[in-house]
Amino acid sequence: MGTGHFFWVIFYFASLCSASLANNAKINFREKEKKVLDQILGAGKYDARIRPSGINGTDGPAVVSVNIFVRSISKIDDVTMEYSVQLTFREQWTDERLKFDDIQGRLKYLTLTEANRVWMPDLFFSNEKEGHFHNIIMPNVYIRIFPNGSVLYSIRISLTLACPMNLKLYPLDRQICSLRMASYGWTTNDLVFLWKEGDPVQVVKNLHLPRFTLEKFLTDYCNSKTNTGEYSCLKVDLLFKREFSYYLIQIYIPCCMLVIVSWVSFWLDQGAVPARVSLGVTTLLTMATQTSGINASLPPVSYTKAIDVWTGVCLTFVFGALLEFALVNYASRSDMHKENMKKKRRDLEQASIDAASDLLDTDSNATFAMLRQCEVHMQAPKRPNCCKTWLSKFPTRQCSRSKRIDVISRITFPLVFALFNLVYWSTYLFREEEDE
């Protein structure tokens, strides 16, 4: 064989190799994907009404793994006892009828956007009030079919879910809001839901709630039995702690200030009737308005809440300060009546003494005065009263009872209110730790 002929043989094989490489480079794998989809989902080849077989092709139930990604929690409503959440919901199962050739690993998975093309689990949210899918700009849903027949379904949804609450410790409470997912028609003989192993629930890192903090979440199973069979169910419990700082600023501190302002009347003169009445009525009405506003933002439950105890006692203190002035006013008028009676009695005694002095001489007057002095010295000494001795130390004007009531109130009201605060916070904070 000549050198020239050998050269042409090499050139021929090089041309064939380059042509083969060019053909491979021109292969459109999207077209291959279409052919594979037509092959496995073509008419008469796949029936989406028939559920997949069990594990390893057995007649057991189809097993569906579930995991969710919580994107946001927009509100937690105490009045309607519900919360709104946006999440990405994912299901994964194996359908051996959907196996295909991956062309030496070049087709990693097939993508669908129409859920009705393949069999889908009939999952529903049992505590859902309302919900909707997201269709901006395109429907936020996809289905991935892997070469081994594994199917991944992912969708973004927004839900408003019921959340029964126990408000006995409000606003020092913690609430558990659940997300329940169950099969609607397939019993556990045909369909079983399982949490995905490893990390079944993920929560966005910068999750911000207006008045709550998400402390933790727990996954569990909640299978239910009815007269038509047993149905598989999954649930995730979200534990929320209420932020107390908001209520401290908006409720507790203003109520304390109103109670303290009502005590100002104890330091006003008992004769300043308009000032004391105006102060008492104004604080009472303000406290009543504050209580009504708090109750308007809560559902009408049959039990007593922690905030009801606080507002009720504060309202009682304000009302007590108003009643205290009524008692002071009554005691003041009684003191004035007694003072007038004593003055009249002294005037009568002075008049009688003046009349007697006109009839008796000087010696008789001296003898009469000595007799009165002897009578005074012969009276038995009275035992000292501890309470009267303690009250006599207060700055009173002619020992008037009305003034003493004010002085006692200045000390008694703050002490009792401080004792109430000690009992209130000790009780409810202890109960909060106990529940935790």
Side-chain angles (χ1 to χ4, degrees), residues 74 83 95 113 115 117 126 139 167 202 207 222 253 274 291 305 343 350 359 399 405:
S74 58
Y83 72 105
D95 192 340
T113 57
R117 296 288 302 275
S126 57
L167 300 174
Q202 300 115 22
L207 179 64
C222 53
I253 292 179
T291 304
K305 304 180 289 294
K343 186 176 180 181
Q350 186 65 34
L359 300 175
C399 299
I405 293 173

Side-chain angles (χ1 to χ4, degrees), residues 354-405:
D354 292 342
S357 63
D358 294 339
L359 300 175
L360 299 176
D361 54 8
T362 304
D363 293 337
S364 300
N365 288 339
T367 304
F368 180 75
M370 290 178 62
L371 289 174
R372 286 182 61 86
Q373 188 174 4
C374 291
E375 290 178 0
V376 171
H377 285 289
M378 289 177 66
Q379 291 179 357
K382 296 182 179 180
R383 294 182 61 186
N385 192 321
C386 297
C387 294
K388 289 184 177 181
T389 304
W390 179 71
L391 291 175
S392 63
K393 296 179 180 179
F394 291 106
T396 59
R397 182 177 57 83
Q398 298 178 356
C399 299
S400 63
R401 290 184 301 170
S402 60
K403 191 64 176 179
R404 289 188 177 184
I405 293 173

Side-chain angles (χ1 to χ4, degrees), residues 290-310:
Q290 180 88 346
T291 304
S292 300
I294 295 169
N295 293 330
S297 61
L298 292 173
V301 293
S302 59
Y303 47 82
T304 302
K305 304 180 289 294
I307 195 66
D308 295 334
V309 176
W310 175 264

Side-chain angles (χ1 to χ4, degrees), residues 278-333:
S278 300
L279 183 62
V281 172
T282 302
T283 53
L284 182 62
L285 292 177
T286 307
M287 191 66 218
T289 304
Q290 180 88 346
T291 304
S292 300
I294 295 169
N295 293 330
S297 61
L298 292 173
V301 293
S302 59
Y303 47 82
T304 302
K305 304 180 289 294
I307 195 66
D308 295 334
V309 176
W310 175 264
T311 55
V313 172
C314 289
L315 189 63
T316 303
F317 270 93
V318 174
F319 183 67
L322 186 60
L323 291 183
E324 187 271 348
F325 171 67
L327 181 61
V328 166
N329 187 266
Y330 172 78
S332 177
R333 287 186 285 108

Side-chain angles (χ1 to χ4, degrees), residues 14-35:
S15 299
L16 289 177
C17 291
S18 61
S20 177
L21 291 174
N23 290 333
N24 288 336
K26 292 179 181 178
I27 292 177
N28 188 341
F29 287 99
R30 300 288 74 79
E31 290 292 334
K32 292 286 185 181
E33 184 175 349
K34 176 183 178 301
K35 290 181 180 180

Side-chain angles (χ1 to χ4, degrees), residues 98-115:
L98 299 176
K99 289 183 177 180
F100 63 90
D101 183 13
D102 60 355
I103 313 178
Q104 299 179 352
R106 303 206 176 192
L107 283 181
K108 294 183 178 180
Y109 54 81
L110 306 174
T111 302
L112 293 176
T113 57
E114 300 174 359

